[in-house]
Amino acid sequence: MKRVAGVAAALLCTIGLLAGCSGITPAAAPPAATTAVPTADPTTIRVASLKGPTTMGLVHLMSEAASGEGTGDYRVTMYGTPDEVVPLVVQGEVDVALLPSNLAAVLYNKTLDDDDAQIQAAAITTLGVLDVLEAGDTVHSIADLAGKTVYASGKGASPQYVLEHLLTSNGLDPATDLTIEYRSEHTEVAALLATTPGAIALLPQPFATVVTTQNSSIRTALDLTDEWAKVSPDSELVTGVVVVRAAFVEEHPDAVADFLTDYEASTRFTNEHPAEAAVLIAEAGIVPAAPIAEAAIPSSHITFIDGAGLKSLLGGYLQVLFDADPASVGGSVPGDDFYLRR
């Protein structure tokens, strides 16, 4: 416990304090018949998600949990930035978190205790959700970013390291050949893009679709999934994962397995029923309106990949980041115990 407290304090000093966790509590189950054996209450799972594509894949699960129709007691809280979520995971205040993939690796390395994993990756949630947008028509390749100012969010997480990898792979020095100005939230970047003539910004979905839908003068200049494939064809751009606390998995393996099954079904619902999912996405406050959410779903690359695919894709992506900058994954590529086996 002293080690966990120390790690939490160090992380808090680095990334700042956070808001508390509130949740969604399913309705109580009807009483069992007097002759039946009482059924144990389902295990409560506290879930921290981020305002973006990962929660877009979670909205059906959230809706069922709120109405009491779900199979588990899932209490989901959505946050604006990973900075708010990381300390919650370290301090054991949430059991499951949806995080940028490189940050999951950093957490694994920071909390590794006597070579035992405290944080495990359970599934990939999103692939390639990053776009470069421009209020103009000067950027048609990564090389065109030379000499420009790029507004971005996600400093210390996947957006920063993906952008830097692509810049260096195209012969640009991120520190000297252009200016990258980071903001704390995606909404700040979107506002700058909408109000600054000629502005260039890095934004994830669905925020990119929100901006281009609301302002016809802003266009998608570069899809970073395509740019990644050009320079790293042997790996895939893995932007988000779901992580679990290893201690929670050990105590409640069946509950975790049920949650992952329900999350996979929720992801399928978003992709297969975009119009219905879009209504839930708008109601959750992720985007301002259902039509925008529906338009953003195809570009958000919402997915659910676990098992061998998880290890292969995520491991390959983290290796590319490590080769570019070991600090991006916490100093080393996570070992096999990082990957949850179902």
Side-chain angles (χ1 to χ4, degrees):
M1 289 299 295
K2 291 181 180 179
R3 175 179 174 82
V4 171
V7 170
L11 285 169
L12 284 170
C13 288
T14 302
I15 61 178
L17 295 173
L18 54 136
C21 185
S22 59
I24 298 172
T25 306
T34 55
T35 56
V37 177
T39 302
D41 291 334
T43 300
T44 298
I45 299 182
R46 301 163 299 174
V47 183
S49 68
L50 293 172
K51 187 177 181 179
T54 50
T55 305
M56 289 166 66
L58 196 65
V59 289
H60 190 250
L61 178 150
M62 293 165 62
S63 176
E64 289 196 328
S67 65
E69 299 174 0
T71 60
D73 182 10
Y74 306 135
R75 306 193 179 189
V76 183
T77 304
M78 185 172 66
Y79 295 90
T81 69
D83 298 359
E84 299 173 272
V85 176
V86 168
L88 294 174
V89 179
V90 174
Q91 295 172 342
E93 295 181 29
V94 297
D95 310 304
V96 175
L98 282 56
L99 291 171
S101 49
N102 83 292
L103 193 52
V106 171
L107 265 178
Y108 164 87
N109 280 309
K110 293 290 187 183
T111 60
L112 200 60
D113 187 8
D114 297 326
D115 296 325
D116 290 330
Q118 304 302 306
I119 304 298
Q120 292 182 293
I124 294 169
T125 59
T126 48
L127 298 167
V129 300
L130 298 169
D131 293 332
V132 171
L133 305 183
E134 182 186 16
D137 192 28
T138 65
V139 176
H140 300 277
S141 69
I142 294 291
D144 290 337
L145 295 175
K148 304 286 200 308
T149 294
V150 178
Y151 298 104
S153 55
K155 186 174 178 61
S158 293
Q160 176 187 351
Y161 294 113
V162 168
L163 178 58
E164 290 181 354
H165 172 64
L166 292 176
L167 290 169
T168 55
S169 296
N170 283 274
L172 297 180
D173 185 335
T176 61
D177 289 334
L178 70 162
T179 300
I180 305 173
E181 293 192 10
Y182 285 99
R183 297 293 187 269
S184 61
E185 294 196 23
H186 306 312
T187 50
E188 292 182 62
V189 177
L192 279 168
L193 186 63
T195 58
T196 308
I200 300 167
L202 174 65
L203 275 176
Q205 293 293 349
F207 303 98
T209 296
V210 171
V211 170
T212 56
T213 300
Q214 295 180 339
N215 191 330
S216 60
S217 67
I218 298 173
R219 68 183 186 91
T220 300
L222 300 171
D223 180 333
L224 295 198
T225 301
D226 295 337
E227 300 303 320
W228 182 276
K230 293 175 184 177
V231 300
S232 301
D234 295 328
S235 69
E236 190 139 8
L237 182 51
V238 181
T239 48
V241 297
V242 54
V243 301
V244 294
R245 291 190 299 110
F248 188 80
V249 176
E250 187 174 349
E251 291 177 20
H252 307 287
D254 292 340
V256 171
D258 289 343
F259 168 77
L260 293 174
T261 297
D262 292 342
Y263 183 26
E264 182 176 16
S266 184
T267 298
R268 223 170 22 245
F269 177 87
T270 296
N271 288 321
E272 295 176 1
H273 305 280
E276 296 172 62
V279 174
L280 298 177
I281 291 167
E283 288 176 352
I286 300 171
V287 297
I292 296 175
E294 186 174 1
I297 287 172
S299 300
S300 296
H301 301 287
I302 299 162
T303 188
F304 186 96
I305 302 171
D306 61 358
L310 164 67
K311 183 177 179 181
S312 174
L313 292 177
L314 180 55
Y317 172 72
L318 295 176
Q319 184 65 54
V320 172
L321 293 188
F322 173 82
D323 291 342
D325 181 359
S328 67
V329 297
S332 63
V333 177
D336 290 346
D337 58 344
F338 178 52
Y339 302 96
L340 179 67
R341 297 180 181 179
R342 292 182 65 186

